[in-house]
């Protein structure tokens, strides 16, 4: 029996979630409400599939089948799906809730999320999914592990990356993504990212964000809010924050000694940098990571100062000159 064939208990309304892996967490939170359980069933139909370790967009066939008796559709409006046509399959009076795809690099402004590098593979993922532009450049320029690590730890990202532009861009993305929806995540992230950990990875929000999403849906349905949820499914894969990011924003929920969980490992920031450099050199030696897509596009290029500074450093006649001298 496919996802779209799951039966709904008599007398209960049917909620269908069409999302990325974020839907797995949201389904748990929705079903954690006894009040919701009394009146609704909840079916998660992922909009992705993983075959031979590669993730791609799933067929919408299961979703189309499930919508025939669906009362509430909660969905990521992915361009690969024809949602106007899919929604027309729903019964009269059914409701839809468009949910933004919640991502942010506000904690990691030098990660290139468009071009995964998959350093240190682990199952269907990797300990280090995305490359750090600054650290890669230093590895290629310095060709010495100790010099690379010392330089990167000493780097003040606020001097070479437009951090305010990164923050404004990320909040702007969320504001655009939630336009005409019931959600107000842009304001929530802007008001809370300093005092609360809101993301584990760029595409993995932490539990406070999911609670905000779930409680907004509960309010829409006239159901009492959840005050807490003990288990955070995404907590097992994190990326530490560069100390200069912590200092720039005066972040209070971590410091440079905080241990972060990276699948089967636990590391503070300096340990993570050591692991990153070793993994990079093992895979690429001291050559530049091949980038399929150019990350510097459009009017918003927060890394421009970083590129210019690193370019000046690589032209410098002595190691350690330029960016950090």
């Amino acid at each position: 029996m496919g996802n779209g064939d799951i039966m709904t208990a008599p007398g209960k309304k049917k909620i269908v979630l069409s999302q990325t892996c974020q839907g797995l967490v949201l389904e748990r939170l929705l079903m954690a409400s006894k009040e919701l359980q009394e009146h609704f069933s909840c079916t998660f139909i992922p909009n992705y599939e993983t075959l031979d370790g590669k993730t791609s967009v799933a067929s919408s066939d299961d979703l189309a089948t499930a919508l025939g008796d669906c009362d509430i559709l909660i969905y990521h409006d992915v361009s690969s799906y024809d949602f106007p046509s899919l929604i027309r399959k729903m019964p009269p009076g059914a409701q839809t809730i468009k949910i933004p795809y919640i991502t942010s690099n506000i904690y990691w402004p030098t990660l290139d999320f468009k071009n995964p590098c998959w350093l240190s593979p682990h199952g269907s993922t990797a300990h280090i999914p995305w490359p750090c532009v600054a650290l890669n450049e230093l590895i290629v320029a310095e060709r010495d592990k100790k010099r690379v690590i010392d330089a990167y730890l000493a780097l003040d990202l606020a001097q070479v990356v437009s951090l305010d532009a990164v923050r404004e861009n990320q909040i702007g993305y969320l504001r655009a993504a939630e336009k005409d929806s019931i959600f107000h995540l842009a304001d929530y992230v802007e008001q809370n990212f300093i005092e609360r950990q809101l993301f584990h990875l760029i595409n993995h929000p932490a539990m406070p964000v999911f609670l905000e999403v779930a409680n907004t849906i509960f309010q829409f349905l006239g159901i009492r809010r959840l005050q807490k949820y003990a288990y955070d499914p995404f907590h097992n894969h994190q990326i530490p924050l560069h100390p200069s990011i912590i200092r720039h924003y005066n972040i209070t929920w971590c410091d440079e000694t905080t241990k972060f969980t990276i699948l089967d490992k636990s590391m503070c920031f300096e340990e993570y940098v050591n692991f990153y450099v070793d993994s990079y050199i093992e895979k690429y030696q001291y050559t530049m990571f091949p980038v399929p897509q150019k990350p510097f596009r459009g009017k918003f290029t927060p890394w421009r100062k970083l590129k210019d500074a690193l370019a000046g450093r690589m032209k410098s006649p002595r190691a350690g000159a330029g960016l950090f001298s």
Side-chain angles (χ1 to χ4, degrees):
M1 184 166 62
N3 285 333
D5 301 318
I6 295 173
M7 299 296 292
T8 301
K12 290 189 177 184
K13 292 186 176 181
K14 178 180 176 182
I15 296 174
V16 172
L17 300 174
S18 173
Q19 294 182 259
T20 64
C21 56
Q22 295 182 11
L24 288 166
V25 184
L26 183 57
E27 180 187 28
R28 289 189 184 191
L29 281 175
L30 294 179
M31 297 309 293
S33 165
K34 293 183 178 179
E35 188 177 354
L36 184 133
Q37 289 183 37
E38 291 176 3
H39 303 286
F40 295 91
S41 67
C42 190
T43 301
F44 169 55
I45 302 177
N47 60 15
Y48 65 96
E49 59 185 3
T50 302
L51 298 173
D52 298 325
K54 295 183 179 181
T55 301
S56 59
V57 178
S59 165
S60 62
D61 291 348
D62 282 346
L63 177 60
T65 301
L67 292 181
D69 61 349
C70 172
D71 297 286
I72 300 175
L73 169 64
I74 302 174
Y75 68 104
H76 283 149
D77 190 10
V78 294
S79 59
S80 302
Y81 285 10
D82 182 0
F83 271 106
S85 295
L86 288 167
I87 289 170
R88 285 196 290 269
K89 296 179 182 294
M90 299 175 69
Q95 297 174 293
T96 62
I97 300 175
K98 185 167 71 171
I99 187 169
Y101 182 43
I102 309 165
T103 65
S104 180
N105 69 339
I106 199 165
Y107 294 136
W108 311 281
T110 57
L111 293 188
D112 179 6
F113 59 88
K114 289 185 178 181
N115 297 291
C117 60
W118 303 115
L119 295 180
S120 184
H122 185 88
S124 61
T125 182
H127 290 93
I128 302 170
W130 299 288
C132 172
V133 175
L135 194 44
N136 288 1
E137 295 279 2
L138 286 170
I139 291 170
V140 175
E142 294 290 358
R143 303 179 66 83
D144 178 88
K145 178 182 174 179
K146 185 179 186 306
R147 287 205 303 266
V148 169
I149 292 172
D150 289 347
Y152 187 62
L153 293 176
L155 175 59
D156 182 0
L157 290 178
Q159 298 299 313
V160 293
V161 179
S162 304
L163 296 183
D164 290 337
V166 171
R167 181 187 60 203
E168 291 170 8
N169 185 64
Q170 291 300 295
I171 300 303
Y173 161 77
L174 290 172
R175 211 174 296 285
E178 69 189 11
K179 184 179 180 182
D180 300 324
S181 78
I182 63 174
F183 301 98
H184 301 283
L185 291 166
D187 289 341
Y188 180 82
V189 171
E190 188 171 31
Q191 294 165 11
N192 291 280
F193 81 96
I194 291 173
E195 296 179 354
R196 309 183 76 177
Q197 183 179 14
L198 299 187
F199 293 89
H200 296 303
L201 299 175
I202 290 173
N203 61 336
H204 282 185
M207 187 49 61
V209 174
F210 280 115
L211 273 172
E212 180 69 14
V213 171
N215 282 328
T216 301
I217 294 171
F218 288 144
Q219 183 177 8
F220 177 81
L221 298 175
I223 291 174
R224 288 188 296 273
R225 294 170 59 91
L226 278 181
Q227 296 304 313
K228 61 181 180 179
Y229 188 77
Y231 176 62
D232 188 339
F234 284 162
H235 186 267
N236 70 330
H237 199 178
Q238 304 174 316
I239 298 179
L241 280 63
H242 194 287
S244 67
I245 296 296
I246 297 172
R247 292 193 299 270
H248 179 80
Y249 290 124
N250 292 317
I251 287 172
T252 58
W253 58 264
C254 71
D255 60 31
E256 61 189 75
T257 67
T258 300
K259 293 283 188 175
F260 288 77
T261 303
I262 306 174
L263 301 177
D264 57 337
K265 304 179 186 299
S266 178
M267 306 180 201
C268 68
F269 183 76
E270 185 170 353
E271 292 167 336
Y272 169 80
V273 175
N274 270 273
F275 180 67
Y276 184 111
V277 173
D278 285 340
S279 300
Y280 185 101
I281 294 172
E282 180 181 357
K283 187 170 184 178
Y284 300 113
Q285 290 75 53
Y286 289 98
T287 63
M288 181 53 68
F289 162 64
V291 179
Q293 298 184 55
K294 292 183 179 180
F296 307 107
R297 291 181 176 176
K299 294 181 180 179
F300 177 71
T301 53
W303 299 340
R304 188 176 305 283
K305 288 195 296 183
L306 173 62
K307 287 185 69 182
D308 292 344
L310 288 170
R313 176 184 177 81
M314 286 186 284
K315 291 177 183 178
S316 172
R318 67 179 181 86
L323 186 56
F324 310 106
S325 58

